Amino acid sequence: MDIAFTKGHGTGNDFVLYSDPDGRLELDATQLAALADRHFGIGGDGVIRAVRSASLPEGAAALAEDPGAEWFMDYHNADGSPAEMCGNGIRVYGAYLLAEGLLDLAIGEAVHIGTRGGVRVLTRTEDGFEVDLGPYVVAGDAMVSARRLDVDRPGLAVGVGNPHVVVALADDDELDALDLSEAPVIAPAPPEGANVEFVVPGEPLISGGVGRIRMRVHERGSGETLSCGTGAAAAALATRSWAGEGAPDVWRVRVPGGEVGVRVADGHVHLSGPATLVFDGAVTLP
């Protein structure tokens, strides 16, 4: 079976994308993991299928929520497991729909995209896209252990359409010393797992009314990645909560692959950043 694909990334968080508007090419977990394999496949933190919401069962919920959500982002982690949402992935997905001629969107215009985490509004900007990740939840404490972290640290659970636990560290040295080749251990363990973000505040934390933090992340089902969009949003929300009254609504989050923007407005959290399509190709799957 030959599949045409595009490789893309958002601040280094990379994806294999393929087009299947009518839902005729649903790959199983083994095939998806083969595409994402960095040694024997194309390589990526996840795989995204461009499919119409009407063409797959999960799309029914999206259309019930918003009949205008024609396109569905069918996202799977690198191990082939499905995920609710991907903040960097949906920006790259928007760029892919434009490049494939499946969408016509001018700068400043928005499109509604179905995901397993609900419908998300994606707006084209001058330098990429901004996605409204919707309402968020900052609640629940946990303890997190990780390799080369001297003692277990408290984490704050944050929900932005998918689950996160955010841990504050003391300084850049502590952040750099982490070994995220193995998944951090969360106690109590979330039923479906969670992404874990480790955060260091900027010096100063707030400059010109904008909050600044640095972050590394271990993504559920993918391992450490150069960036995580929903993770950046979760990290900014957690830091904003810790900062207390007077904390800003606008944040810049530095990740190993670059920088993304997070803003809070009207009870929703928004993520902005670049989306880059790198190359096209074709691959044969058994």
Side-chain angles (χ1 to χ4, degrees):
M1 178 170 52
D2 292 333
I3 298 177
F5 70 88
T6 294
K7 180 70 178 289
H9 76 89
T11 54
N13 199 188
D14 60 341
F15 311 96
V16 179
L17 302 102
Y18 70 100
S19 179
D20 181 29
D22 299 322
R24 297 173 180 169
L25 190 60
E26 184 172 359
L27 305 182
D28 62 29
T30 300
Q31 291 171 316
L32 291 164
L35 289 176
D37 191 292
R38 295 193 183 279
H39 300 286
F40 297 100
I42 302 160
D45 295 323
V47 179
I48 301 174
R49 175 172 62 148
V51 59
R52 289 189 174 90
S53 295
S55 297
L56 79 169
E58 295 94 328
L63 290 172
E65 179 183 346
D66 184 345
E70 176 186 4
W71 291 101
F72 191 94
M73 183 180 70
D74 185 19
Y75 180 77
H76 288 78
N77 297 312
D79 64 359
S81 61
E84 299 90 343
M85 239 304 282
C86 179
N88 288 324
I90 199 168
R91 298 198 318 274
V92 177
Y93 183 55
Y96 178 72
L97 291 177
L98 288 173
E100 290 292 299
L102 300 173
L103 180 67
D104 185 14
L105 196 68
I107 293 173
E109 291 183 340
V111 61
H112 293 208
I113 302 291
T115 77
R116 290 182 178 83
V119 175
R120 297 292 181 260
V121 179
L122 184 68
T123 301
R124 189 177 180 188
T125 64
E126 291 281 355
D127 57 357
F129 293 87
E130 181 182 70
V131 57
D132 180 350
L133 296 175
Y136 57 88
V137 177
V138 179
D141 296 319
M143 295 300 294
V144 177
S145 62
R147 296 182 68 178
R148 298 185 184 170
L149 193 63
D150 53 359
V151 295
D152 293 359
R153 302 296 173 86
L156 183 62
V158 180
V160 289
N162 58 356
H164 298 261
V165 175
V166 183
V167 179
L169 298 183
D171 53 36
D172 286 332
D173 289 342
E174 196 168 45
L175 184 64
D176 292 336
L178 283 177
D179 180 354
L180 298 181
S181 60
E182 293 184 5
V185 177
I186 307 168
E192 297 180 356
N195 296 350
V196 182
E197 289 79 30
F198 295 90
V199 178
V200 171
E203 291 289 346
L205 174 63
I206 302 169
S207 176
V210 177
R212 296 186 177 275
I213 56 176
R214 182 182 169 217
M215 180 192 88
R216 287 177 64 191
V217 58
H218 187 285
E219 290 197 56
R220 173 189 58 171
S222 295
E224 182 174 13
T225 59
L226 293 180
S227 180
C228 175
T230 56
L237 288 166
T239 309
R240 180 174 176 266
S241 176
W242 292 324
E245 186 176 353
D249 292 331
V250 179
W251 293 79
R252 300 299 298 178
V253 182
R254 185 158 57 96
V255 295
E259 190 173 86
V260 295
V262 176
R263 67 181 180 93
V264 181
D266 300 323
H268 286 211
V269 61
H270 303 254
L271 172 75
S272 60
T276 304
L277 302 180
V278 183
F279 63 86
D280 300 320
V283 63
T284 300
L285 286 177

